[in-house]
Each structure stands twice: as C-alpha cells, then as structure tokens.
Amino acid sequence: MRAGRPWRGVLVDVTTPFRDDLSVDLDQLQEHVRWLADQGCHGVAPCASVGEYRALSDDERTAVVRATVQAAPSGCAVVPGVGGYGSRQARRWAEQAAEAGAHGVLAPPPDGHVARDADVVAHYREVAAIGLPVVAHNEPYDTRVDLTPDLLATIAEIDGIVAVKEVTGDVRRLHRLRDLCPHVDVLAGADDVLLELVLCGAAGWVATLANALPREAVRLYELCVARDLGRALPLYAELHPLLGWASRPESVQAVKLAMGCAGRFGGRCRPPRGPLPGPAAERVRRDVLRALAATAEPASGGPAG
C-alpha cells in the first residue's frame, strides 16, 4: 500500500469476466487480478464502473469482492465499488467489503434519482460509518448526481472521506477541490485526462483501459508523476485514442474487446450490453495495435558480424 493510502497509485477498475453461459467466472477474475498486480498496478476496484455491478445478483457481487480480496497479493489494494440505489444498499456493500478484507470503498452517490445535497451528504455519512476509507465517485453522466466541488467540500467534512474519483474531465475542478478541501485526494477517473490531472496534483488514477495494457498504463502514470514530459507526452499521444474509449457510453464493451485484442480474456458483457458494431470494434482494434506498437520494446540486435 502506498504509505498506508491504498487509494493512491494506479487502481484498475476491473471488468467482471463471464463464461459463455454468462455466469461469473471467478477463476478468470482471480487470474486477472494476480496478473494486474504482477504488471505493476497498485490496486484493483471490483464492482465499479466497468464491473457491470448492476447486472450482478447480490450473491454474485459478494462472491466477486471476496474472490478479488483472496487473489490480490500483498501490497495490492482492493477498493470495491459500493454503488446502490439507496444508502441502505450502499452501506451493506461497504459492510460486505469490510468483512471480505477490502482496504477501502469506491462510493458513488445514491443511484437512479436526482438526490438533494442534504440527502447525498447523509448517504456518504452512512457509508463512512462502516470505518473503511471512502473514495467518493463522481460520474454524473451515470448517476445523475454531480458531486460539485462545493458539495464535495461538505462531504469531505465526514470522517473517513479520503478522496474523490473525478470522472467529468473538467481539470478546473481539481484546482477548486484543492482550494476547498485540501485534505482530500483527487484521483483521475477519466483515462483521457490523466496527464493533465496528475501534472496538476492528482494523487492517483482509477484506470479503465489498464485492464488491457496495465504495464503501459503504469509506465505512463509514473512518467506523469515524475513530470518527465519529454517521455510522457509522446507516449500519452500514442495511447490517447485508446484511453478515450473509457469516456464513451460503450466503455465496458470497448474495454473487454481491447483486452481480447491484447491477448487477454475480455469476453462478453451481460445484456442489455451487446457487442460493439463493426466500425467501432475495428477502431478499438486499431487503437490497441497502435498502443502496442508505441510501447513495444525495441528488438535487440545480434552481435555484429
């Protein structure tokens, strides 16, 4: 864990693998978690944005979190998503994460309706009461609730709120958040603004396309942290077309397809998510090949003859 702060570094928003009959493949999940850690990722976030948690039964969500904790090697943080329609559901998922041995939780606001600010604050108070570090998850396009900097400043007064995953892509929010609640870390939540946010002080990255190219993602993140723009900018430019898929409505399908293109098991999504249409699928394949070519190690030549 990064100095006792498991939400920092590169956390991968992991996909949920399904068998051909669309049942959850826990063996495949555990292999993927171990591989991500071996590739240098600092942690994983099951049942989050691309984990298709809304398509899982309660028993399946419980099993996914437990299997992830069991598979994660020492030093690899597990920060499950605890999204739910209401505070009762979110608190129960936070309890389940604590029981499983998770290191924190990734908590969206109440799901499915436009909650009032006071209700959102009460929601986070319920989740934080469990005692695990809470990363607020701001993705208003998905949850219909925008955790604005002013609202987050109020939420940040709750003990246990340690960070926010910022998905809007508005870099200006980072500066406002650092001014209003400097004790709360900002994490890049949209892959395609990683460089901008890290250079301005983001303390971590909840990464999506890292499911397919984790070593490349970690390399990019570390170059950004080191402010090595001479190497970070050209790499970012080559990876950016692929990273951009994380900000599209078809992000889950794109990530799973990218995994397959990179030689990993991506597999199917559960309905109603279907496969990408032909032109989009072909574009994902081209973007993956471009990223792989940009990050390939130069072939070592043989001895001079």
Side-chain angles (χ1 to χ4, degrees), residues 238-252:
E238 293 297 330
L239 294 179
H240 204 268
L242 181 61
L243 298 176
W245 284 97
S247 297
R248 301 187 187 188
E250 314 90 348
S251 60
V252 180

Side-chain angles (χ1 to χ4, degrees), residues 26-97:
L26 295 177
D27 291 337
Q28 193 74 248
L29 171 67
Q30 291 187 315
E31 189 276 335
H32 187 52
V33 169
R34 288 189 290 265
W35 180 73
L36 290 172
D38 184 62
Q39 294 293 300
C41 297
H42 307 110
V44 291
C47 296
S49 294
V50 301
E52 298 179 71
Y53 70 89
R54 293 185 182 94
L56 302 179
S57 70
D58 286 358
D59 287 345
E60 287 173 332
R61 279 186 73 167
T62 299
V64 164
V65 173
R66 287 176 177 170
T68 301
V69 172
Q70 291 168 3
S74 177
C76 177
V78 179
V79 184
V82 294
Y85 180 78
S87 303
R88 182 172 180 269
Q89 292 90 340
R91 177 172 176 142
R92 177 65 192 101
W93 290 123
E95 290 173 345
Q96 187 271 326

Side-chain angles (χ1 to χ4, degrees), residues 148-168:
T148 64
D150 288 330
L151 178 53
L152 274 164
T154 302
I155 293 169
E157 295 174 2
I158 301 168
D159 288 342
I161 306 296
V162 297
V164 56
K165 174 190 173 185
E166 177 53 54
V167 186
T168 65

